[in-house]
Amino acid sequence: MSTSQSTVTAIGVDFGGTSIKMGVARGAELLEVADSIPTGDYPNPDDLIGQIALKVRALRDHHPEVRAVGVGVPGLVDFDTGLVHVLTNVPGWVQIPLKQCLGELTGLPCAVENDANAMTYAEWRYGAAQGLKNVVGLTLGTGVGGGLILDGRVYRGSRWAAGEIGQMSIHYDGVAGHYGNLGALEKYVGNQQIAENAQRRYGQSGLHKELNLCTPKVIADAALAGDPIAQDIWEEIAHWLGTALGSIAWLLNPDAFVIGGGVAQAGDLLFKPLHAKVHSMISKVVAENLQILPARFSNEAGIIGNAAIAGDHVP
Amino acid sequence: MSTSQSTVTAIGVDFGGTSIKMGVARGAELLEVADSIPTGDYPNPDDLIGQIALKVRALRDHHPEVRAVGVGVPGLVDFDTGLVHVLTNVPGWVQIPLKQCLGELTGLPCAVENDANAMTYAEWRYGAAQGLKNVVGLTLGTGVGGGLILDGRVYRGSRWAAGEIGQMSIHYDGVAGHYGNLGALEKYVGNQQIAENAQRRYGQSGLHKELNLCTPKVIADAALAGDPIAQDIWEEIAHWLGTALGSIAWLLNPDAFVIGGGVAQAGDLLFKPLHAKVHSMISKVVAENLQILPARFSNEAGIIGNAAIAGDHVP
């Protein structure tokens, strides 16, 4: 792989727990997007892979210049072999040789990557962090995912498990995460936690709100309309998230954080206090060329990132 | 640089704020150690570099097979140019072209590296973490230093400032570090903080101890002798340090942590609860091949690590 090579047209597959989105991309440009596949309609991995392959072949028929297919999955995958070890939220997906199967069914070179790595790759290759040397990508949603580009390459760790920013601790005696890990970041800034926290705050102030009304979008709109509780909630999210980013900045001294996902769509409400918080924690040198950037891509990040990875790895 | 190349004999210089130690090393073997130079005796950087060069030449006269010299400094250095940006604890050391000066004065290829990186390099190349792919090195002392080997190479970050584990936060509203960074790890597990914490605990229990008696060594001896307060102190250090290591494990999914410095000499008193704490925080996959290792080298780590870096970079 080299970032200087010419851009290859490839198919990107964004494999989510609910639906599978796919399309043809050339760099940042989406040439065609297929109808998505409801993941739950195909409980057997073989059937699901068959369905993906069907759509891949149809897309390639429309775009004969397609040279590769890349799939991003919500879980652990060995990038070298393309063996999916486990997808926590997709029943039956344990030790599935996805790269091999999809390659055989489509005749295309295939790459399989973790979804957060693919999002980070999209931003690094064609998005907000294009061409920077060291990039930390985050997606803020139900959980907090992350991906790392270090010294100009995807860093995956010893068991392909690197980048789990949501599991990092921001408090040694804090709220327990999914693994019993005290102070897990995503137990503070995940969508559900933001909603519960907002409901509690409104409750304390006598302004009861239903939990399902406390989405990041609603809290952002309230903050923009001048609601002091909502403004406070964003300050607090920035305090927690900024603590984790500050620690990562000390450890990795990156050029940029790129932040996507629903929570990031709050814009300045999040990014302004987050910038202040991170900069309150780091030295001048670490701050020197550190950028905290909103992601360029949103829903299409998976298609673009996975197509880019596959295209960059075409033999 | 390649770890497979044959071992070169080189001079390593361990440039500390108090003294400068140097010697000739071939791999893990120290062939000769020179008398150290008291750093404060040479307030002018040029004079100090001259003195180092004098000793380098004398060592090379005894060991004509020496092919390079490596210096590890307690601060920020551009590894590519060998320009020392700033040594916080050594007056006058700002923007000093150490690699160039020492190269000219000795006629030897010269490498200049951050001291924590050099310690980590020594352990990765010839010590406890030999040959592993992803290694996180820590030195526990007055402060907490760190170095990273990622994908088999030293990772230095965008401004050569990576690896500052002591500045990472373990509590979003915790004790402020040197940079105002709340919850800075070294404000919990640095020697001075351990001593103050021990004094406070003994005070609360009616057993007053003088601050200068609360060294890690004394607390370790007390714990081994069955003192429950001292045992508790080690549990607490492991709780704090383990929180940071757990976060780093989630982020980088390394093969090993290698821990050196005075505090690490407590052995099982530290390593047993630390192992338990870290493993209580991470997934099976991240834990799978994660080792938490005491450093092989102690005082000689700087000489060996810097000689190794210089030797591995001989053109």
Side-chain angles (χ1 to χ4, degrees):
Chain A
M1 194 282 304
S2 153
T3 55
S4 60
Q5 70 188 78
S6 64
T7 302
V8 168
T9 302
I11 293 169
V13 181
D14 182 0
F15 187 132
T18 308
S19 73
I20 296 173
K21 289 173 283 191
M22 49 205 299
V24 180
R26 183 179 156 78
E29 193 187 356
L30 280 183
L31 305 179
E32 181 180 349
V33 175
D35 291 338
S36 60
I37 303 170
T39 313
D41 284 4
Y42 301 88
N44 182 312
D46 281 343
D47 295 344
L48 185 49
I49 297 171
Q51 190 61 23
I52 294 171
L54 211 66
K55 294 213 173 228
V56 166
R57 288 198 300 264
L59 285 170
R60 192 200 27 197
D61 287 346
H62 299 178
H63 302 272
E65 72 275 27
V66 160
R67 290 187 53 204
V69 54
V71 188
V73 296
L76 205 69
V77 56
D78 177 340
F79 182 77
D80 295 326
T81 63
L83 180 71
V84 175
H85 285 277
V86 63
L87 305 185
T88 315
N89 296 318
V90 191
W93 278 75
V94 178
Q95 305 297 336
I96 305 290
L98 178 57
K99 177 176 173 170
Q100 188 193 327
C101 295
L102 197 60
E104 285 169 5
L105 291 172
T106 63
L108 286 167
C110 180
V112 185
E113 179 59 282
N114 169 269
D115 56 0
N117 289 357
M119 170 271 181
T120 306
Y121 199 89
E123 295 295 334
W124 170 64
R125 199 68 169 80
Y126 300 112
Q130 197 168 353
L132 297 177
K133 196 173 160 196
N134 300 302
V135 177
V136 178
L138 287 97
T139 46
L140 305 177
T142 310
V144 175
L148 303 174
I149 306 286
L150 302 180
D151 284 339
R153 310 184 307 170
V154 180
Y155 175 80
R156 298 183 177 88
S158 296
R159 305 292 287 174
W160 318 287
E164 291 287 354
I165 294 172
Q167 304 305 332
M168 295 177 73
S169 174
I170 57 169
H171 190 322
Y172 52 75
D173 284 331
V175 181
H178 179 72
Y179 299 89
N181 42 333
L182 302 181
L185 175 64
E186 71 181 21
K187 287 292 174 187
Y188 293 80
V189 302
N191 282 350
Q192 179 69 15
Q193 285 67 37
I194 292 174
E196 286 172 9
N197 188 32
Q199 197 189 33
R200 186 180 49 74
R201 279 168 165 261
Y202 283 113
Q204 283 166 352
S205 71
L207 295 161
H208 295 283
K209 292 214 181 191
E210 285 182 41
L211 195 60
N212 61 8
L213 289 180
C214 295
T215 63
K217 173 87 175 75
V218 169
I219 301 167
D221 290 343
L224 287 173
D227 174 349
I229 293 177
Q231 287 168 345
D232 235 44
I233 290 169
W234 285 108
E235 289 280 343
E236 198 172 51
I237 292 170
H239 183 60
W240 290 326
L241 182 59
T243 296
L245 298 197
S247 291
I248 297 170
W250 279 114
L251 184 66
L252 297 180
N253 181 207
D255 296 297
F257 291 103
V258 184
I259 308 179
V263 176
Q265 283 163 22
D268 276 358
L269 284 171
L270 174 66
F271 281 88
K272 275 181 83 166
L274 185 61
H275 187 275
K277 172 64 187 169
V278 172
H279 281 261
S280 80
M281 291 182 64
I282 58 181
S283 66
K284 199 161 153 266
V285 169
V286 173
E288 220 154 47
N289 52 351
L290 180 68
Q291 302 180 70
I292 304 177
L293 303 165
R296 169 180 172 184
F297 304 115
S298 55
N299 289 333
E300 74 279 25
I303 294 175
I304 290 170
N306 288 298
I309 292 171
D312 288 344
H313 286 80
V314 168
Chain B
M1 190 283 304
S2 152
T3 56
S4 61
Q5 69 188 79
S6 65
T7 302
V8 168
T9 302
I11 292 170
V13 181
D14 182 0
F15 186 132
T18 308
S19 73
I20 295 172
K21 290 174 281 191
M22 50 204 299
V24 180
R26 184 180 155 76
E29 193 186 356
L30 279 183
L31 305 179
E32 183 181 347
V33 174
D35 293 336
S36 61
I37 303 170
T39 314
D41 285 5
Y42 300 87
N44 180 313
D46 280 344
D47 295 345
L48 185 49
I49 297 171
Q51 190 62 22
I52 294 170
L54 210 68
K55 294 214 173 226
V56 166
R57 289 198 299 265
L59 286 169
R60 192 199 29 197
D61 288 347
H62 300 177
H63 302 273
E65 73 274 28
V66 160
R67 290 186 55 204
V69 55
V71 188
V73 297
L76 204 69
V77 56
D78 176 342
F79 182 77
D80 295 325
T81 62
L83 179 72
V84 175
H85 284 276
V86 62
L87 305 184
T88 315
N89 296 318
V90 191
W93 278 74
V94 178
Q95 305 297 336
I96 305 290
L98 179 56
K99 176 176 174 171
Q100 187 193 330
C101 294
L102 198 59
E104 285 168 5
L105 290 171
T106 63
L108 285 167
C110 180
V112 185
E113 179 58 282
N114 167 268
D115 56 0
N117 288 358
M119 170 272 181
T120 306
Y121 199 90
E123 295 296 333
W124 171 63
R125 198 68 169 81
Y126 300 112
Q130 198 167 351
L132 297 178
K133 196 173 159 198
N134 301 302
V135 177
V136 178
L138 286 97
T139 46
L140 305 177
T142 309
V144 176
L148 304 174
I149 306 286
L150 302 181
D151 284 338
R153 310 183 308 168
V154 180
Y155 175 80
R156 298 184 177 89
S158 297
R159 305 292 287 172
W160 320 286
E164 291 287 352
I165 295 171
Q167 304 305 333
M168 294 176 74
S169 174
I170 58 169
H171 190 322
Y172 53 75
D173 284 330
V175 181
H178 179 71
Y179 299 88
N181 42 333
L182 301 181
L185 176 65
E186 72 181 22
K187 287 293 174 187
Y188 293 80
V189 303
N191 282 350
Q192 180 68 18
Q193 284 68 36
I194 293 174
E196 286 173 9
N197 189 32
Q199 198 188 32
R200 185 179 50 74
R201 279 169 164 260
Y202 282 114
Q204 282 166 350
S205 72
L207 294 162
H208 294 282
K209 293 214 179 189
E210 285 181 41
L211 196 61
N212 61 9
L213 288 179
C214 293
T215 64
K217 173 89 175 74
V218 168
I219 300 167
D221 290 344
L224 287 173
D227 174 349
I229 292 176
Q231 288 169 345
D232 235 44
I233 290 168
W234 286 107
E235 290 279 343
E236 199 172 50
I237 293 170
H239 184 59
W240 290 326
L241 182 59
T243 295
L245 298 197
S247 291
I248 296 169
W250 279 115
L251 185 65
L252 296 180
N253 181 209
D255 297 298
F257 291 103
V258 184
I259 306 179
V263 175
Q265 284 163 23
D268 276 357
L269 284 171
L270 174 67
F271 281 88
K272 275 180 84 167
L274 185 61
H275 187 275
K277 172 65 188 168
V278 173
H279 280 261
S280 80
M281 290 182 65
I282 58 182
S283 67
K284 198 161 154 264
V285 169
V286 173
E288 220 157 46
N289 53 352
L290 180 68
Q291 301 180 71
I292 304 178
L293 303 165
R296 169 179 172 185
F297 304 115
S298 55
N299 289 334
E300 74 279 26
I303 295 174
I304 289 170
N306 288 298
I309 292 171
D312 287 344
H313 284 81
V314 168

